Amino acid sequence: MTASSPNPAEQEFVDQVIARHQGRPGALLGILEEVQGRHPNKYLPLEVLDYIATKTGTPWAQVYSVATFYALFNLEPQGRHTVCICRGTACHTRGSRNLLERLKLELGLRSDGEEGSADKLSLTTADRRFTVRTVACFGQCALAPVVEVNHSIFGHVNEQSLQREIEAIRHEGGK
Amino acid sequence: MRIQDIGGFNEVREAGLAKYVPARPRIAIGMGTCGTGNGAEGVYHAFADEINRRGMDAQLAPVGCFGFCAREPLVNVWHPGRPLVILQRVQANDVNRILDDLEALRPTQDLAQCKIEDWDHFTAHIRFGAGYPEIPNWHEVPFFKGQKKIVLRNCGLVNPDDLEEYVAVGGYQALYKVLIDNRPDVVIEQIKAAKLRGRGGAGYLTGIKWEFLRKAEADCKYIICNADEGDPGAYMNRNEIEGDPHSLLEGMIIGGFVMGASEGIIYVRAEYPLAVHRLHRAVEQATEYGLLGENILGRGFDFNIQLVEGAGAFVCGEETALIASLEGKAGRPWPRPPYPAKKGLYGKPTNINNVETWCNIAPIVSKGPAWFTQTGSPKSSGTKVFSLVGKVTNTGLVEMPLGTPLKTFVYDIGEGGLNGRQVKAVQTGGPSGGCIPQDMFDTPVDYESLAQLGSIMGSGGMVVMDEDNCMVDVARYFIEFTHSESCGKCVPCRVGLDKGLRMLNAFTNGSAPLASLESLDELGRMIRDTSLCGLGQSAPNPVLTTMRHFRHEFEITSGPGAAARECARTWPFRPAKTVARCT
């Protein structure tokens, strides 16, 4: 890899995380989860992946394979606010696709690829203010349809209430 | 403090009882994710502030969910000598009058859902008290009628963050008994005689699986709890962990001792932050009390449990993929044999069971296999927890004896379709299961009967569909899901599902020629018969069952003049004429 190295502070943090996890089952997942969680843009830059591979003695291809296999990991910077729409069965039967379409329209986002293939979506607005994601299921099915806005769960959402949430974020400190 | 003998055990039990049924009123707030999503935290703080302001002598505790998720926030109020009353849809501004009523020894009738006079935790029996004839008993409420809470015995009642309360209702007694008796083979015989079957979906006999691992010889063996509940529409495991994490731990520690394993791993979804948090707490507490770690209960047995958070891959529910994931690889399955019991995590013998399977262990050990087989059907004993969701009036978690007919779930417990609409089908088993039409609702819900209809029990998701739901769209939805979750290792699943999705897309936008029904059927069977793992083998089920039971819906959406274009675009809220014709 030709990516540049992470800065010393970042390196120190990653070293600590690795020390905590190494040698235990599920170590690589744990390391990637923790490192991504601390990044201000909630993603794993390539140089960080490279550094983790070197430090843990894991083949670079395997680290990249894991980082791209699991839905939780992002290789692109995420928006400051995340809106996550549940695409579980209960939410689907209660209209979550319409919510997703509406939200994309509202934020001016378009997904590439075929129409309707809304699987594992993650889209960020150009100003990096909003990221729209989908999740397979939050396990909040009794509250369907469910939307998570900045890690708070909202149940029985409809297009109006979703729009109100978005407006509220937009008016918050002009961010 | 570490529990080393029966004296220490009883001390912890007494301390727990003093909190669970104290000499003063107790108020417990349902703080599962379903509760907090409905404002339970605000209610909790309102109670805390008001109790403080009044200088009232009352116990306040968070608990998990009692099951009726649609009526959250739920609050249990109890006065010594009186029944426990479960209040529903409690808001912060109700707090004052609830406390007034509690002090005046009367129930808050307009909020009351039901009362509990006695509760059988199966590992213990608690008598709350009698009275309040105007409030229905819990099992008289339609939603709870017929339910038998073995797995959910403590959920919504006991504080999940407090090991002492778990011990108060008989927790860790089964473990104590197993360690004192020191006869692992007898325990395995008990599990076998109880005919406990894996609750993750496949329904393999747990006792047999345990025996395999017990007999395997190795310097190190692992046991794993599969809490990677990825089925969309199912959340039993989340509630089981959030409401009663110690029940899972106890099952695993017993399993570890009996199978000769010293390491336990819980692989839990990262999408369930509260469940992860509660498990961390529970493991810490169990270690502190000497129920985990070295020399458990002073009996010379060492066992540790680690938590690993999954990172959002449905295929990791498949046991070999889960193991690959734990080994720091992408979650891709391998062909069995070798089975994990022979060669699992890091090449060592490994046992994997679902959360609910583990939660059944302690009651079976306490009450014996004969008691367990009294519930359920001859081939499938015990109960199963289902998440009853979708277009049904009452949604929530339901624990019913296996073999209960489907109609009981939909019409008695669920009280029929939403807003009086006609129920059309029930989808069981998530993306691996199938749709069962309304005219087959007499089917008993057990492993064999559902398989006969082309569906599966799965982990217990039950999604109700009504006349507004287009079954072709439902089939397409599931293929879209498995298509995106396919790990890509084997060709039938990777390429077949992609092809299948394209064909179903053609159906939903009305461009499919009628002949593709046959091709779709053939493709489905091919994927089912030739895929490497459970994901691919079961992925065509939703399509094959909808084609079998709702063929007419495919027919009107295909062929010349197909009118389905609209139903693809307007579904599901604005049923076009075409959708109405589907029913």
Side-chain angles (χ1 to χ4, degrees), chain B residues 291-511:
Chain B
L291 297 161
L292 265 180
E294 284 175 15
N295 193 16
I296 292 173
L297 287 169
R299 307 296 299 177
F301 167 57
D302 302 343
F303 187 71
N304 291 300
I305 291 182
Q306 295 185 45
L307 297 188
V308 174
E309 287 179 52
F314 175 67
V315 67
C316 288
E318 207 282 337
E319 56 180 14
T320 57
L322 192 154
I323 289 172
S325 176
L326 286 177
E327 289 174 346
K329 297 177 214 154
R332 295 203 171 88
W334 74 70
R336 297 172 298 181
Y339 285 90
K342 214 160 193 184
K343 213 171 165 207
L345 183 60
Y346 305 122
K348 305 287 183 194
T350 304
N351 170 280
I352 302 186
N353 279 126
N354 175 268
V355 176
E356 208 175 313
T357 315
W358 292 117
C359 291
N360 270 304
I361 300 299
I364 292 176
V365 171
S366 291
K367 308 266 294 182
W371 163 81
F372 193 71
T373 50
Q374 278 166 16
T375 309
S377 63
K379 275 190 169 173
S380 312
S381 24
T383 57
K384 174 81 194 77
V385 184
F386 294 93
S387 60
L388 184 66
V389 294
K391 301 279 198 71
V392 63
T393 307
N394 297 335
T395 57
L397 273 205
V398 180
E399 181 170 356
M400 289 294 274
L402 284 162
T404 306
L406 205 47
K407 62 180 179 197
T408 308
F409 288 90
V410 178
Y411 298 113
D412 299 340
I413 292 173
E415 294 196 272
L418 202 58
N419 307 323
R421 302 200 75 87
Q422 185 83 36
V423 172
K424 178 151 93 174
V426 169
Q427 207 280 343
T428 70
S432 317
C435 293
I436 297 164
Q438 191 256 340
D439 54 7
M440 293 186 181
F441 280 3
D442 284 330
T443 310
V445 177
D446 58 41
Y447 295 91
E448 282 76 22
S449 309
L450 291 182
Q452 257 172 23
L453 296 181
S455 184
I456 61 161
M457 173 99 83
S459 53
M462 224 177 236
V463 185
V464 178
M465 320 262 173
D466 70 10
E467 50 192 305
D468 293 351
N469 291 112
C470 165
M471 301 314 284
V472 182
D473 182 87
V474 169
R476 199 198 78 91
Y477 162 82
F478 281 115
I479 296 298
E480 182 182 285
F481 176 79
T482 38
H483 171 255
S484 82
E485 293 293 339
S486 170
C487 80
K489 182 166 178 171
C490 73
V491 178
C493 178
R494 183 182 70 229
V495 181
L497 290 176
D498 188 60
K499 181 76 184 153
L501 181 59
R502 281 161 202 271
M503 287 164 79
L504 283 161
N505 277 340
F507 273 109
T508 50
N509 63 29
S511 61

Side-chain angles (χ1 to χ4, degrees), chain A residues 24-26 28-29 33 62 66 69-72 87-89 92-94 97 116 119 137-143, chain B residues 33 38 69 232 235 238 269 272 306 308-309 311-312 325-326 328-329 331 346 390-391 473 476-477 480 484 573:
Chain A
R24 304 171 58 165
L28 186 53
L29 286 185
E33 277 162 18
Q62 188 180 335
V66 168
F69 185 84
Y70 297 93
L72 201 75
R87 289 289 288 129
T89 323
H92 178 78
T93 57
R94 288 194 178 194
R97 180 157 50 206
D119 49 12
C137 184
F138 277 122
Q140 297 295 324
C141 315
L143 307 181
Chain B
T33 318
N38 270 330
C69 309
Y235 62 101
R238 175 179 65 72
R269 284 185 90 193
Y272 289 174
Q306 295 185 45
V308 174
E309 287 179 52
S325 176
L326 286 177
K329 297 177 214 154
Y346 305 122
K391 301 279 198 71
D473 182 87
R476 199 198 78 91
Y477 162 82
E480 182 182 285
S484 82
F573 280 150

Side-chain angles (χ1 to χ4, degrees), chain B residues 52-268:
Chain B
N52 202 15
R53 200 187 61 80
R54 293 183 183 206
M56 200 175 154
D57 185 25
Q59 174 99 15
L60 187 63
V63 291
C65 175
F66 192 65
F68 208 159
C69 309
R71 301 276 172 88
E72 293 271 10
L74 301 175
V75 173
N76 308 344
V77 287
W78 179 72
H79 197 285
R82 301 287 165 137
L84 178 100
V85 178
I86 299 185
L87 307 176
Q88 59 188 8
R89 297 202 177 113
V90 177
Q91 299 301 318
N93 55 15
D94 296 321
V95 165
N96 242 323
R97 62 190 182 104
I98 293 172
L99 290 179
D100 288 345
D101 287 340
L102 186 62
E103 284 182 315
L105 286 177
R106 58 171 187 252
T108 311
Q109 212 174 336
D110 60 316
L111 295 173
Q113 178 183 85
C114 59
K115 65 175 175 190
I116 300 173
E117 296 188 333
D118 294 89
W119 188 258
D120 198 348
H121 287 275
F122 296 109
T123 44
H125 193 98
I126 297 290
R127 174 137 185 89
F128 288 108
Y132 305 150
E134 63 275 37
I135 313 267
N137 253 309
W138 77 282
H139 50 76
E140 288 163 7
V141 174
F143 183 78
F144 294 113
K145 212 173 242 172
Q147 288 204 45
K148 185 163 186 182
K149 289 172 177 268
I150 296 177
V151 172
L152 302 176
R153 59 194 179 273
N154 303 330
C155 282
L157 297 170
V158 167
N159 180 353
D161 277 337
D162 193 338
L163 181 138
E164 291 181 351
E165 283 196 21
Y166 178 70
V167 173
V169 296
Y172 289 114
Q173 260 174 30
L175 172 68
Y176 195 83
K177 182 170 177 281
V178 167
L179 292 183
I180 295 278
D181 290 351
N182 195 16
R183 290 168 69 192
D185 291 316
V186 175
V187 178
I188 288 187
E189 285 311 316
Q190 277 188 315
I191 306 290
K192 270 160 78 177
K195 292 190 229 162
L196 173 67
R197 299 171 67 172
R199 297 294 195 244
Y204 195 77
L205 279 165
T206 306
I208 308 261
K209 215 163 149 178
W210 282 29
E211 198 168 37
F212 283 142
L213 190 69
R214 166 144 185 88
K215 286 185 176 155
E217 276 173 36
D219 53 341
C220 175
K221 297 182 197 174
Y222 293 98
I223 60 173
I224 297 175
C225 167
N226 185 349
D228 190 42
E229 182 176 57
D231 276 21
Y235 62 101
M236 297 76 50
N237 295 166
R238 175 179 65 72
N239 253 32
E240 286 151 15
I241 295 174
E242 285 177 3
D244 193 17
H246 285 289
S247 159
L248 163 62
L249 297 190
E250 185 177 2
M252 286 184 76
I253 304 167
I254 292 175
F257 177 72
V258 167
M259 289 181 266
S262 56
E263 290 292 325
I265 296 156
I266 303 175
Y267 189 92
V268 55

